[in-house]
Amino acid sequence: MASKSKCVRRVVFNQKGGVGKTSITCNLAAAFAAAGLKTLVVDLDAQGNTSHYLLCEGAIGGRTITDFFESTLSTLKIFGQPLSDCLYQSDFKNLWVIPADARLAELQPKLEARYKVFKLSQALDDLIDNQKFDAVFIDTPPALNFYSMSALMASDRVLVPFDCDAFSAAAVQHVSDIVQEVAMDHRPDLSIEGIVINHFQAQANHHKAAIDAISQHGIPLLKPYLSPSVVMRESHAARVPLVFYKPAHKLSAEFNQLAALSRSVKAKTKQT
Ligand SMILES: Nc1ncnc2c1ncn2[C@@H]1O[C@H](COP(=O)(O)OP(=O)(O)O)[C@@H](O)[C@H]1O
Ligand SMILES: [Mg+2]
């Protein structure tokens, strides 16, 4: 018998920059939304690249995730802000965004000092209940800091982008250790869904070698691997997820297959 549907929260995390966290977060979320799932993307990077990619110019007129975190520092209850106050509907059907902004960076030491690392998780529980989201994706900064820890504490599954180079391989091992520790100490259900191979070039021997090396970690390598293409940068510039910008492109097809695979994992876990 199928149990009650559960909103799976995925965090896309690798402390290395430029590996594709933002591109993968936004395009998997867009593919989920296109499949009819009410999908939320939370941007936790002060650079705000996800917010810029998914929301059009001038869309962020009000609060952001920074205001939510700032409100957790107030001891007065009336200043406690629910996450729904910083929720924006994108121009894409079923796709919602909680944006970030540059003020996140200066707020970080205060949040750390006051142990606010569980606040996002608690607030997401309420938001998912109230807004009936089917899926959540969280984009993280290129660092193991307060915000990426908050994201791990708030998630069920981790997707780890890997861009086929040696530094990235070391970073994956580090992510795996951190996830194990968070699962052991705080969130028993947290697990790595898999490694998302990005910029993969089948004809490059060093890519094949890097993938052989990474497969020794015992973490699933999600298929298909993502190809490199300039259309990705073009889609960022156009502020339209690639899966909508060039739906027939090979890289869009790869994202759609990856998303379908992720959703099928969810479907399996729904069986009781
Ligand atoms: N598969 C890809 N092919 C080509 N360019 C890509 C691909 N994935 C990401 N990029 C580009 O690489 C840069 C870094 O990607 P991004 O998603 O911002 O990484 P991160 O969030 O990890 O810093 C961006 O300019 C993005 O457009
Ligand atoms: Mg990014």
Side-chain angles (χ1 to χ4, degrees):
M1 195 180 83
S3 72
K4 201 168 132 248
S5 139
K6 179 183 184 294
C7 171
V8 177
R9 308 146 171 223
R10 291 177 175 84
V11 55
V12 180
F13 177 56
N14 183 329
Q15 66 273 37
K16 188 170 182 274
V19 290
K21 288 183 289 299
T22 297
S23 306
I24 291 166
T25 304
C26 296
N27 280 290
L28 288 184
F32 270 55
L37 300 179
K38 186 174 179 183
T39 304
L40 170 66
V41 179
V42 182
D43 190 358
L44 285 185
D45 186 356
Q47 295 176 81
N49 293 344
T50 276
S51 313
H52 182 274
Y53 194 15
L54 297 181
L55 295 171
C56 55
E57 178 103 53
I60 311 170
R63 294 176 170 142
T64 71
I65 192 77
T66 314
D67 299 289
F68 162 75
F69 278 118
E70 197 162 34
S71 76
T72 68
L73 294 169
S74 170
T75 48
L76 295 176
K77 243 197 144 77
I78 53 164
F79 291 117
Q81 265 177 17
L83 267 184
S84 54
D85 285 358
C86 39
L87 181 63
Y88 293 76
Q89 187 165 15
S90 78
D91 283 349
F92 313 104
K93 196 174 170 204
N94 293 327
L95 191 58
W96 299 69
V97 183
I98 295 182
D101 68 80
R103 294 173 301 141
L104 263 187
E106 64 203 62
L107 197 59
Q108 186 179 320
K110 292 184 200 157
L111 294 165
E112 258 160 9
R114 303 266 298 276
Y115 308 106
K116 301 294 182 183
V117 78
F118 295 105
K119 288 291 177 184
L120 177 68
S121 174
Q122 292 158 356
L124 260 182
D125 286 343
D126 292 341
L127 185 74
I128 291 166
D129 267 4
N130 293 337
Q131 299 280 334
K132 308 278 178 264
F133 280 111
D134 298 308
V136 175
F137 286 84
I138 308 178
D139 189 20
T140 51
L144 178 65
N145 64 13
F146 170 85
Y147 298 114
S148 39
M149 278 308 276
S150 294
L152 290 169
M153 301 288 193
S155 297
D156 306 305
R157 311 243 179 94
V158 188
L159 295 168
V160 190
F162 174 70
D163 64 354
C164 305
D165 84 3
F167 292 123
S168 200
V172 169
Q173 181 58 55
H174 192 213
V175 174
S176 166
D177 294 345
I178 293 159
V179 171
Q180 271 185 34
E181 198 177 333
V182 172
M184 217 154 55
D185 293 348
H186 303 289
R187 211 171 159 89
D189 291 346
L190 182 71
S191 64
I192 298 187
E193 181 165 331
I195 296 173
V196 181
I197 312 272
N198 193 18
H199 295 286
F200 178 67
Q201 289 172 285
Q203 67 281 18
N205 285 334
H206 70 286
H207 281 196
K208 278 188 251 160
I211 289 170
D212 279 350
I214 203 87
S215 64
Q216 311 300 319
H217 292 297
I219 304 169
L221 303 184
L222 302 180
K223 293 256 174 76
Y225 302 163
L226 301 171
S227 309
S229 170
V230 291
V231 293
M232 179 57 83
R233 278 173 207 271
E234 286 171 20
S235 74
H236 278 265
R239 302 179 87 150
V240 179
L242 180 68
V243 292
F244 298 144
Y245 181 73
K246 289 261 157 90
H249 194 276
K250 179 178 181 226
L251 185 51
S252 296
E254 291 163 355
F255 272 115
N256 282 322
Q257 285 172 47
L258 204 52
L261 179 93
S262 257
R263 287 196 302 275
S264 75
V265 173
K266 177 192 164 188
K268 275 183 214 148
T269 61
K270 276 168 67 177
Q271 302 302 312
T272 53

